Every structure is written in C-alpha cells, then in structure tokens.
Amino acid sequence: VKRVLVIGIGAGDPDQITVQAVRALNQADVLFSIDRGAGELVALRHEICERHLEPGRRPRIGEVAEPRRDRSAEDYVAAVQEWRRGRAEVWERAIAEELGDAGTGGFLVWGDPSLYDSTIAVLEDVLARGREVFAIEVIPGVSSVHALTARHGIVLNRVAGAVQITTGRRLARDGFPAEADDVVVMLDGQCAFTTIDDPDVEIFWGAYLGTPDELLISGPVTEVAAEIVSVRAAARERKGWVMDAYLLRRRLAE
Ligand SMILES: C[S@@+](CC[C@H](N)C(=O)[O-])C[C@H]1O[C@@H](n2cnc3c(N)ncnc32)[C@H](O)[C@@H]1O
C-alpha cells in the first residue's frame, strides 16, 4: 500500500529536525512541494533536504499547485470548503500520478504537523473521496512554540498551570483568555499584543526563529509593545515577509 509521510521539519533551524524525520526524508520516493509561501521559506526547505538527504539520494519533487482562495467571499465558510475541496482534488491527482502502488511520498511540514497546519486534514479529505488508498504516518517536528521557549530559556507553563495556544485574530477579538495564565499567540498579522494594557502581563516575542535573521524581545507588554511593532515593521520591510510568535504571561498573585 502507498505511504504518505507527513514530516515535521522544525520551524527554521535545519539542525532542529529529528532523526526520525531524517529517516523519513530518506525513505521518500517523492517529496511533494506545495507552491506557496515566501521564496526564502522554499529555499530553507531545500537547505534542509540538501543537508539531510544521504549522498546520491534524490527523491523526485512533485509540485502541487495551490488552488486560489477567495478571501473576499461573503460566505467565509463556503469559500473555505470550496478551497479545501480544490486542494483535495489537486493532492489526490498528485498522489495518483506520482506514487506507484507501493510508493512512499513525503510532505514537508513547517514546525510540527499538529499545529495550525492543514496537511493532515487535506490528506484525510483525499482518503474520504475514496479514490486513493494510502497510509498516513506523521513524524513530529520542533514547533515554533518550542523554538520560541527555548530561545527565551523559559518554561511554557507555571506549576500546574494551563496554557492556551491561540491566534492574533482571537486575541484581538476576545482579549487575554480568562481561563489561562500563559497564552501563546501565532498567526498574528496585526500585532494583537498592542491591545493588552495590563501592566502585569509579560511578553516573550520571537520572529524568524531558528534562522540567521532571528529577533527576540521580552519584557512587560505595556513597555515593549511599541519596540516590537517597530522592529517587526522594519524587518518586514527589509525582507518582504515576517513570521513571528509570542507568549503572553500573566503575573500570578503571590
Ligand atoms: C501556519 S502556522 C504553522 C505553525 C507550525 N506548524 C509550527 O509548528 O510552528 C504559521 C505560524 O507559525 C509561527 N511560526 C512558524 N515558524 C516560525 C518562526 N520560525 N519564527 C516565528 N514564528 C514562526 C508564526 O506565528 C506563523 O504565523
């Protein structure tokens, strides 16, 4: 039976890849490459492959086109469903055409495949269409959350505490969640941390984690928010893209 490996490759540092992921890369007959993202991210993926593929091992690269997503549609849910259907169709075709009956394909996933990534869901959609049969194997990766905590040298939770992982959009809409003391925020294009005006909240921020352009800032959010906004804007201007994540930590009463 065909195998499809979903391989977590870490969040930017080519050294932050597991031995299991390296083995998986070297088992793949085809590595599927999804046509999206900044050119530099594609280059980083190439670097990871170059570094970890055994000499002489050259898996085919199966290009997978990304269907257009209608972000202006009034019916957001219907537009997302349509986009997902389009992706399942394209991926199904790629798996049918590129993988022989007992072939092994690999999808390289940024960070860890379980965190804000749709690769597993799209593959489940392909299986649900019923035309292609394959086994999915997920290989975990170092997520940007763990790259962030490691670089700041901090523990994610407090003793017996709860941690929430959320998006910038939700933070901006709902404020600091009442049910958590530590909140990791990802996918924040709008600097939602600027909406937090509580002097007892600290921020641990990181951009381009694991890459030579890495940026780290930490401190009380009300004191460092403006600095993060300007450092982030300047980096984005310079590079044309930015990827950042942060932890918001509420000081606990003594
Ligand atoms: C689509 S999600 C994918 C997350 C990924 N699966 C992971 O495990 O980190 C993309 C978001 O992850 C975060 N991210 C991923 N890589 C990062 C990096 N190298 N530095 C900072 N943030 C990163 C950012 O919040 C970005 O908006």
Side-chain angles (χ1 to χ4, degrees):
V1 65
K2 294 182 185 186
R3 289 162 75 214
V4 176
L5 311 177
V6 181
I7 309 170
I9 55 166
D13 183 339
D15 280 348
Q16 284 173 6
I17 180 165
T18 68
V19 175
Q20 191 180 26
V22 170
R23 272 201 205 116
L25 274 179
N26 281 290
Q27 282 169 10
D29 305 307
V30 184
L31 289 175
F32 292 106
S33 163
I34 296 152
D35 172 17
R36 66 157 178 236
E40 243 182 293
L41 292 181
V42 175
L44 262 168
R45 282 202 177 86
H46 280 289
E47 189 187 331
I48 288 170
C49 291
E50 288 293 313
R51 173 100 63 103
H52 297 294
L53 281 171
E54 286 158 12
R57 196 151 174 105
R58 283 279 158 268
R60 287 194 308 287
I61 301 296
E63 299 290 345
V64 182
E66 183 74 327
R68 208 184 66 84
R69 179 158 159 196
D70 185 358
R71 290 182 189 271
S72 62
E74 272 178 28
D75 188 341
Y76 177 82
V77 175
V80 170
Q81 276 169 352
E82 186 54 36
W83 176 67
R84 274 186 66 161
R85 198 167 24 246
R87 291 185 96 191
E89 259 171 40
V90 174
W91 290 32
E92 180 187 80
R93 210 175 314 130
I95 289 168
E97 287 170 4
E98 297 283 348
L99 279 189
D101 278 347
T104 298
F107 284 87
L108 306 190
V109 175
W110 201 249
D112 180 77
S114 71
L115 194 58
Y116 292 119
D117 186 273
S118 58
T119 307
I120 296 172
V122 178
L123 289 170
E124 298 282 2
D125 286 352
V126 174
L127 282 176
R129 291 162 64 87
R131 297 192 187 94
E132 281 296 308
V133 178
F134 51 86
I136 303 175
E137 284 170 44
V138 180
I139 290 102
V142 175
S143 73
S144 53
V145 177
H146 296 99
L148 176 77
T149 50
R151 293 296 290 128
H152 281 286
I154 55 172
V155 175
L156 193 53
N157 61 284
R158 255 80 57 82
V159 178
V163 178
Q164 187 173 111
I165 301 179
T166 190
T167 64
R169 187 190 291 244
R170 292 181 77 104
L171 182 73
R173 191 189 62 196
D174 304 334
F176 198 111
E179 62 276 17
D181 298 313
D182 291 276
V183 180
V184 176
V185 184
M186 302 173 70
L187 293 162
D188 183 3
Q190 49 183 341
C191 296
F193 53 84
T194 54
T195 61
I196 305 291
D197 58 7
D198 182 343
D200 284 334
V201 173
E202 252 190 307
I203 186 168
F204 297 87
W205 176 83
Y208 315 105
L209 290 158
T211 76
D213 297 300
E214 183 176 87
L215 297 166
L216 299 171
I217 295 176
S218 62
V221 69
T222 49
E223 288 174 28
V224 297
E227 181 192 351
I228 297 174
V229 170
S230 83
V231 166
R232 186 182 186 279
R236 191 191 178 148
E237 177 74 23
R238 193 169 64 244
K239 288 176 64 68
W241 60 282
V242 62
M243 220 164 34
D244 61 339
Y246 52 92
L247 172 72
L248 293 174
R249 166 155 289 173
R250 199 187 338 241
R251 189 179 304 148
L252 299 179
E254 297 291 313

